[in-house]
Amino acid sequence: MIIAVASGKGGTGKTTVSANLARSLGHDVVLLDCDVEEPNAHLFIRGELLNSEVVGIPVPKVDEGLCDGCGECGDFCAYNAIVSFGTKAMVFPDMCHGCGGCSMVCPRKAISYFENRIGVVETIESEGVELVQGRLDVGVPMAPPLIRAVKRHIKPGKTAILDAPPGTSCPVISAIGGADYVSLVTEPTPFGLHDLELAVEMVRELAIPFGVIVNRVGVGDDRVHAFCAREGIPVLLEIPDDRRIAEAYSRGVLVVDALPEYRGLFCDLFAKVEVLSTGGVRAR
Amino acid sequence: MKIAFTSSGEALESALDSRFGRAPKFIIYDLEEESFEVLDNEINMNAAQGAGVQSAQRVARSGAGALVTGHCGPKAFRVLKAAGIKVYTSEAASVAEALKLYREGKLAEAGSADVEGHWA
């Protein structure tokens, strides 16, 4: 089963939930940190680095000897990454999405590819939990190709937990696409609710069953609960606003290790998701 | 020679648009014929990325040998330079005024992009 942990507002507790859930399951689980711009699950799931692979996207290079400036490549490209206007073709690597189309339409077969490095995917083993994280190189504008590379480490037979980036943008869609269930983590405040509503809209668009986890209950009010009740969205888990959780987090210690009484909550979360993902809330 | 001007409208009195890649229109003025044509650039106003690149390509295809704009970003500049088009920046209020300044030789040629790229 593939469970994605996402949110609208950032800082609500996605990594707290995904890392603690992974540790609570303890075995046959792979945690995939898809927030490739700032992976942080490794702060809590520490272990031996098993593997590191460089990831690149295929960017065109033009053989000027063969190019006759016909412009077919520029006309085809939806991202304006390659242009041609009576002179030779010019490439803008950071706009290229690596679709390979320009090479296919070139009548002179003048376009080939080089791998343009965007980042790395690292695999770490930590007491039965496999952590796979992507680290996007500083300055690279495009996260989705690296996120897809991280997700290629999803293994059949192992529960996969996807720790998504915050928000509702392209990287998030790349991260949660194909998941069996999405848990949206929020805090019970006006900002939390506002951004949760955006995230709910996104997940409904993707037609993946989902539920909500309310973190830091007690810090705000009940508007998030009222919203979920109105919309028929299951509240999967409520984590109280317990200062000891923040203290453990700030030391890089998992909640379920510092405060074993919380283990049960995360195991219950998993059990609920298993049930709901096969017949739970679907998109309207 | 033809000169391209970034324009907010279809007449020479239209305001010279300060942006290049996302200018609503280009006025391509033919200095010899003393006539001009209008190129619509709405497609690039809302482009997520590559507006400058696409606009530069269109200006190059129009046959213009020079461009007058408020500002020009780095990717557009690279394309224009490769196409051999001279880039001039101007604070002139209208296309007509910019044309006059060009004819009087009062416009400075830009040696590089003068602004960063930006999204819509």
Side-chain angles (χ1 to χ4, degrees):
Chain A
M1 177 166 57
I2 305 171
I3 307 172
V5 181
S7 69
K9 182 179 177 298
T12 51
K14 292 180 292 304
T15 301
T16 297
V17 167
S18 31
N20 281 283
L21 180 59
R23 179 60 78 217
S24 299
L25 293 174
H27 60 91
D28 291 335
V29 57
V30 51
L31 173 61
L32 301 116
D33 194 340
C34 298
D35 190 358
V36 301
E37 293 180 68
E38 34 150 22
N40 63 346
H42 66 95
L43 297 173
F44 304 95
I45 303 280
R46 291 182 292 277
E48 200 195 317
L49 179 68
L50 295 180
N51 189 40
S52 177
E53 54 177 276
V54 172
V55 176
I57 50 173
V59 167
K61 64 176 183 205
V62 181
D63 182 336
E64 306 227 323
L66 295 173
C67 173
D68 64 2
C70 71
E72 287 290 317
C73 53
D75 285 343
F76 181 85
C77 183
Y79 305 103
N80 301 315
I82 184 166
V83 289
S84 170
F85 37 81
T87 64
K88 305 299 181 180
M90 197 179 227
V91 178
F92 292 87
D94 56 337
M95 313 225 294
C96 174
H97 284 55
C99 75
C102 53
S103 176
M104 281 187 242
V105 302
C106 176
R108 312 277 294 141
K109 301 269 173 283
I111 299 179
S112 59
Y113 291 100
F114 70 96
E115 281 286 298
N116 196 24
R117 180 194 153 122
I118 58 171
V120 294
V121 173
E122 295 168 330
T123 307
I124 293 158
E125 202 284 321
S126 171
E127 299 166 45
V129 172
E130 186 188 338
L131 168 63
V132 180
Q133 68 177 13
R135 280 199 290 121
L136 195 68
D137 286 346
V138 173
V140 172
M142 234 181 289
L146 186 59
I147 296 171
R148 285 193 287 274
V150 169
K151 286 170 72 177
R152 284 198 278 274
H153 288 258
I154 291 176
K155 297 174 172 67
K158 275 195 177 189
T159 301
I161 301 172
L162 303 168
D163 187 9
T168 53
S169 58
C170 287
V172 180
I173 310 275
S174 289
I176 72 177
D180 297 310
Y181 198 84
V182 177
S183 303
L184 294 173
V185 186
T186 186
E187 62 179 39
T189 62
F191 276 128
L193 175 59
H194 178 275
D195 292 358
L196 176 66
E197 288 175 357
L198 297 172
V200 165
E201 210 182 306
M202 167 189 66
V203 181
R204 282 180 171 153
E205 230 4 269
L206 296 175
I208 306 174
F210 66 97
V212 164
I213 295 175
V214 189
N215 191 11
R216 303 191 66 200
V217 173
V219 79
D221 51 40
D222 67 349
R223 62 185 71 209
V224 164
H225 287 86
F227 167 76
C228 291
R230 269 197 318 272
E231 296 280 321
I233 299 170
V235 174
L236 308 163
L237 170 62
E238 289 173 291
I239 304 173
D241 184 32
D242 184 343
R243 196 200 149 88
R244 299 174 303 161
I245 294 178
E247 286 172 357
Y249 182 98
S250 68
R251 292 197 316 269
V253 176
L254 287 171
V255 176
V256 296
D257 287 337
L259 308 162
E261 63 264 37
Y262 278 103
R263 267 196 192 238
L265 278 188
F266 290 96
C267 292
D268 288 348
L269 168 65
F270 182 72
K272 265 198 195 145
V273 168
E274 269 194 310
V275 167
L276 290 170
S277 65
T278 47
V281 178
R282 296 220 160 251
R284 309 245 177 116
Chain B
M1 185 182 74
K2 291 183 184 174
I3 314 183
F5 294 87
T6 52
S7 175
S8 51
E10 311 207 343
L12 292 179
E13 293 66 45
S14 304
L16 184 75
D17 202 292
S18 58
R19 305 152 300 172
F20 169 63
R22 298 182 189 278
K25 304 206 188 283
F26 297 118
I27 286 184
I28 314 291
Y29 191 90
D30 191 324
L31 286 172
E32 278 89 50
E33 303 284 324
E34 304 226 333
S35 65
F36 65 93
E37 58 165 337
V38 180
L39 289 184
D40 185 277
N41 196 40
E42 303 273 324
I43 189 178
N44 287 315
M45 278 178 71
N46 298 315
Q49 62 172 69
V53 173
Q54 182 81 295
S55 297
Q57 195 178 212
R58 300 186 72 221
V59 165
R61 284 201 175 144
S62 74
L67 164 75
V68 181
T69 175
H71 298 288
C72 182
K75 293 190 171 82
F77 193 86
R78 193 180 143 203
V79 176
L80 293 165
K81 192 134 190 309
I85 296 172
K86 288 188 202 246
V87 179
Y88 298 89
T89 54
S90 172
E91 302 263 305
S94 69
V95 173
E97 196 188 313
L99 176 60
K100 182 163 169 297
L101 290 171
Y102 178 84
R103 281 184 160 138
E104 291 168 1
K106 290 188 176 157
L107 290 183
E109 196 184 335
S112 66
D114 71 322
V115 287
E116 287 297 312
H118 58 95
W119 279 262

